[in-house]
Amino acid sequence: MPSRSPFAPLLLVGIALSTIPPSRAVDAAAVPSLGLPAARFVAASEAETALGRALFFDRRLSFNGTMSCSMCHVPEQGFASTASRTALGIEGRSLPRNAPTLLNVGWLTRLFHDGRENSLANQAWAPLLHPLEMANPSAGYVLEKIAATPEYGPLFVAAYGDATPSMSRVGTALEAFERSLVAAGSRFDRWFYGAQADALTPQEQAGFRLFTGKARCSSCHLVGKGGTLFTDERYHATGASLRDPDSGAHPVRLAADTATEITDVELAAFVSPTATDLGRFEITLAPEDRFAFRTPGLRNVERTAPYMHDGSLPTLEAVVGFYNAGGGRVPNKSVLIGPLELTAREQAELALFLRTLTSPAVETLPAQVRRTDP
């Protein structure tokens, strides 16, 4: 990965705070994409989106009829999974990585934490066939199951003209539904892009100045004039994949707001050691990609804890503290990451700013998409 000085001028931050005009009303509900870049895709038909929604919630599409896409990407949990560090698959099996949010996923060009897929239509088949997720033995098995389910016939006819399911149709239908999950128009968007000067408090505005300044967050979580996903979609080694080898303790998330720690000895009593996650390296085999993971977007980040690819940081305050300390111990750590020397007040202001990125759609989308749940 080409290096950049962490002290280089911040990229794409093109609107000076002093240029924001006086407050004017912006109805976020009327402009749900306020703050997002121009879409790179054409919106799908309502029929195709409806088919994708039905597939997304259907537990019958897993091998034993218990798992659906929505069980790792829970609408009420920001279309992520907040109850455990990593998602749970079929028969309660733990998956190795945290389930990322699907909100605004249609704008991404790379998918999965390691960026191994560039198409939502193709990505949709990975959990259907993964042995720890929905565990189907083959694509043909899934298609036969869909073809044998009577209620899918009319949905395929409405979307594609006939009732025949195919890998392409299933993938593009799921892609259509996931692209409909738009959640922008946050208080930050109303302030930064909508010129509503009072949409953020002075403390939150101070947090944004830290985000684009002293804290250097926008070196990877880019902010642009025409809209932003808060990601460079590149891969960085932060050290989140490796705990401190001297600590002897493992954090264990028991519930959304409850955690504990267990020692190496306690852990060895009931589970085998897990392999170190090498991240992007497993896709490219490039030495510089060892322990590197895709920069996540930060929209609605308040609602998608726990954080990092392995869910190892339970709160936004923990994330800010992690980066303030210079990240974790990891070979070839990104040159963009180092100690920040933020004061306690500055860390609090930065966390306050991150909470302004929550869209009103986070509250309304779950009810909308569950209206006709199977």
Side-chain angles (χ1 to χ4, degrees):
M1 181 178 68
S3 63
R4 279 190 295 170
S5 167
F7 303 104
L10 295 172
L11 298 178
L12 300 178
V13 182
I15 302 179
L17 299 183
S18 60
T19 66
I20 295 178
S23 175
R24 58 185 174 84
V26 177
D27 183 357
V31 281
S33 61
L34 176 68
L36 288 170
R40 305 183 183 97
F41 56 87
V42 177
S45 68
E46 291 185 10
E48 192 171 33
T49 302
L51 170 59
R53 196 216 64 80
L55 294 165
F56 184 83
F57 285 100
D58 196 343
R59 298 187 185 194
R60 295 169 297 183
L61 299 189
S62 63
F63 182 64
N64 65 0
T66 62
M67 291 294 298
S68 70
C69 303
S70 66
M71 295 180 70
C72 284
H73 301 283
V74 185
E76 292 77 12
Q77 296 177 16
F79 288 86
S81 180
T82 64
S84 57
R85 284 181 53 177
T86 61
L88 296 179
I90 198 164
E91 298 177 338
R93 298 172 187 173
S94 293
L95 303 180
R97 293 176 181 169
N98 179 262
T101 179
L102 295 182
L103 294 172
N104 307 314
V105 71
W107 274 259
L108 296 178
T109 60
R110 308 299 308 188
L111 303 162
F112 294 108
H113 290 290
D114 53 25
R116 65 184 182 272
E117 187 56 79
N118 63 1
S119 160
L120 275 172
N122 292 340
Q123 179 276 332
W125 277 96
L128 285 165
L129 302 179
H130 194 287
L132 298 181
E133 296 186 53
M134 297 173 79
N136 288 292
S138 69
Y141 180 88
V142 178
L143 296 175
E144 287 181 350
K145 184 177 286 191
I146 293 172
T149 305
E151 55 263 43
Y152 275 116
L155 293 174
F156 274 90
V157 170
Y160 300 116
D162 64 70
T164 306
S166 67
M167 287 189 70
S168 175
R169 287 177 171 182
V170 169
T172 55
L174 283 165
E175 176 181 47
F177 171 70
E178 291 174 5
R179 282 180 170 176
S180 75
L181 304 177
V182 180
S186 65
R187 288 196 295 119
F188 166 76
D189 295 313
R190 301 202 310 269
W191 177 70
F192 195 75
Y193 296 107
Q196 186 176 330
D198 61 353
L200 298 190
T201 67
Q203 293 79 13
E204 291 164 344
Q205 294 180 36
F208 177 69
R209 289 191 292 271
L210 289 164
F211 186 90
T212 56
K214 182 179 178 180
R216 306 199 299 268
C217 308
S218 61
S219 295
C220 299
H221 299 283
L222 305 180
V223 183
K225 284 185 178 181
T228 182
L229 299 175
F230 289 98
T231 174
D232 60 4
E233 292 202 75
R234 298 175 68 185
Y235 308 92
H236 304 276
T238 68
S241 61
L242 298 179
R243 68 180 180 87
D244 186 339
D246 299 326
S247 70
H250 304 260
V252 177
R253 189 176 179 85
L254 302 176
D257 58 354
T258 305
T260 187
E261 286 190 346
I262 61 175
T263 66
D264 285 330
V265 173
E266 292 169 331
L267 181 64
F270 62 89
V271 68
S272 300
T274 56
T276 299
D277 193 334
L278 297 176
R280 180 68 174 166
F281 174 81
E282 296 177 2
I283 310 305
T284 67
L285 300 183
E288 63 270 22
D289 285 335
R290 287 171 62 87
F291 311 111
F293 296 88
R294 183 177 58 82
T295 305
L298 296 181
R299 290 190 171 277
N300 308 296
V301 68
E302 175 188 16
R303 303 297 293 272
T304 59
Y307 304 106
M308 317 306 281
H309 74 276
D310 58 351
S312 57
L313 299 178
T315 65
L316 288 175
E317 285 74 16
V319 174
V320 171
F322 172 80
Y323 284 111
N324 190 50
R329 298 186 186 182
V330 65
N332 69 289
K333 184 163 62 178
S334 170
V335 297
L336 299 174
I337 297 174
L340 301 175
E341 299 183 356
L342 299 177
T343 67
R345 176 178 176 176
E346 289 171 331
Q347 292 182 62
E349 289 172 339
L350 187 53
L352 283 172
F353 164 69
L354 293 172
R355 291 185 168 89
T356 72
L357 305 180
T358 303
S359 168
V362 171
E363 300 295 338
T364 59
L365 271 174
Q368 292 175 16
V369 300
R370 286 194 185 276
R371 282 179 300 181
T372 57
D373 237 7

